[in-house]
């Protein structure tokens, strides 16, 4: 293990780490928004839209993110819609994550008893959604961790994320051990706090609901 190599590569990994974090969390925020809207549509069985959402969920849950990114990044320009690699990464991650979040929120919604004396919008915003969110916390945290790990395929569309940086440096200088150790280290730094915080939020949500 050559620590001089690690020290020299640190700025490049740090830059790649920040880019990965930025795109990853933008995609996660987008996925949560999509998931809530999709869960609402599925829960209340809104005509036409519910069928469209079901197709979307099945399509994105059953195709790899890499294929989705290729379609967005290389396919859309064929019809005149060209977007940057960063936007492609965030949108692709958001669409993939939205399909998983939709199912997580939907299962939470179905576990919440219906409230009487409210219209659908009041019931959803004031009663159902907060409780469904508490129920869905473990699934949501698992989805977030999954999506952050999925950022490793961004390198396929030439985004200089952590994986791209590691592969590029290995290809140029053959310091494989050092590059892989740094790659693992940065992914741990990215994922471990999410896992710990998620456990705390889950415990707090369970305590609020069940008192234990």
């Amino acid at each position: 293990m050559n620590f001089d190599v690690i020290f020299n590569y640190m700025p490049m990994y740090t830059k790649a780490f920040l880019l990965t974090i930025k795109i990853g969390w933008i995609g996660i925020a987008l996925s949560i928004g999509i998931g809530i809207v999709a869960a609402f549509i599925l829960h209340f069985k809104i005509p036409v839209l519910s069928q469209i959402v079901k197709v979307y969920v099945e399509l994105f849950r059953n195709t790899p993110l890499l294929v989705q990114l290729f379609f967005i990044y290389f396919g859309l320009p064929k019809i005149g819609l060209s977007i940057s690699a960063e936007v492609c990464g965030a949108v692709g991650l958001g669409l993939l994550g939205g399909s998983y979040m939709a199912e997580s929120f939907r299962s939470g919604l179905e576990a919440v008893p219906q409230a009487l004396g409210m219209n659908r919008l009041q019931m959803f915003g004031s009663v159902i959604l907060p409780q469904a969110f508490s129920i869905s916390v473990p699934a949501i945290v698992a989805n977030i961790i999954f999506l952050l790990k999925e950022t490793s395929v961004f390198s396929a569309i030439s985004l200089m994320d952590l994986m791209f940086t590691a592969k590029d440096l290995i290809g140029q200088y053959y310091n494989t051990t050092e590059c892989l150790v740094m790659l693992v280290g940065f992914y741990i730094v990215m994922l471990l706090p999410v896992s710990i915080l998620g456990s705390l939020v889950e415990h707090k949500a369970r305590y609020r609901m069940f008192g234990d």
Side-chain angles (χ1 to χ4, degrees):
M1 182 73 67
N2 189 333
F3 288 97
D4 287 335
V5 170
I6 292 177
F7 179 79
N8 290 333
Y9 289 173
M10 188 62 70
M12 287 176 281
Y13 271 89
T14 301
K15 183 178 179 180
F17 172 77
L18 294 175
L19 178 64
T20 304
I21 285 287
K22 182 181 77 171
I23 298 175
W25 280 102
I26 290 174
I28 288 167
L30 181 61
S31 74
I32 291 173
I34 293 173
I36 291 173
V37 173
F40 177 90
I41 292 171
L42 292 173
H43 181 71
F44 292 112
K45 298 180 175 62
I46 299 175
V48 181
L49 290 180
S50 60
Q51 282 73 33
I52 294 173
V53 169
K54 286 178 182 178
V55 172
Y56 153 70
V57 169
E58 291 302 320
L59 177 63
F60 279 85
R61 280 170 61 93
N62 292 288
T63 55
L65 177 58
L66 183 60
V67 174
Q68 297 166 17
L69 292 178
F70 280 166
F71 178 81
I72 296 170
Y73 191 65
F74 298 110
L76 292 185
K78 301 294 184 181
I79 58 173
L81 297 175
S82 182
I83 61 176
S84 68
E86 289 190 19
V87 173
C88 174
V91 170
L93 199 67
L95 290 172
L96 173 67
S99 66
Y100 283 90
M101 293 293 184
E103 288 299 298
S104 298
F105 282 119
R106 185 184 62 80
S107 62
L109 289 172
E110 292 179 352
V112 178
Q114 300 295 304
L116 299 177
M118 292 183 171
N119 62 42
R120 284 186 172 185
L121 187 59
Q122 290 173 325
M123 184 167 52
F124 187 79
S126 301
V127 179
I128 297 177
L129 187 58
Q131 292 186 52
F133 182 82
S134 297
I135 294 171
S136 304
V137 165
I140 293 170
V141 172
N143 287 339
I144 289 174
I145 293 173
F146 163 73
L147 292 173
L148 288 175
K149 289 191 291 186
E150 283 293 286
T151 59
S152 61
V153 305
F154 285 168
S155 59
I157 55 172
S158 301
L159 262 176
M160 296 187 68
D161 66 334
L162 285 170
M163 185 64 72
F164 182 98
T165 299
K167 291 193 296 186
D168 187 52
L169 291 172
I170 291 172
Q172 290 188 63
Y173 304 110
Y174 303 103
N175 295 309
T176 305
T177 301
E178 290 81 2
C179 288
L180 292 180
V181 166
M182 294 182 74
L183 180 64
V184 171
F186 272 98
Y187 270 109
I188 290 174
V189 169
M190 180 167 60
L191 295 170
L192 188 58
V194 176
S195 179
I196 294 173
L197 182 60
S199 297
L200 294 174
V201 172
E202 180 184 350
H203 177 75
K204 186 174 181 180
R206 188 187 301 115
Y207 179 81
R208 289 180 62 183
M209 291 187 64
F210 306 111
D212 57 10

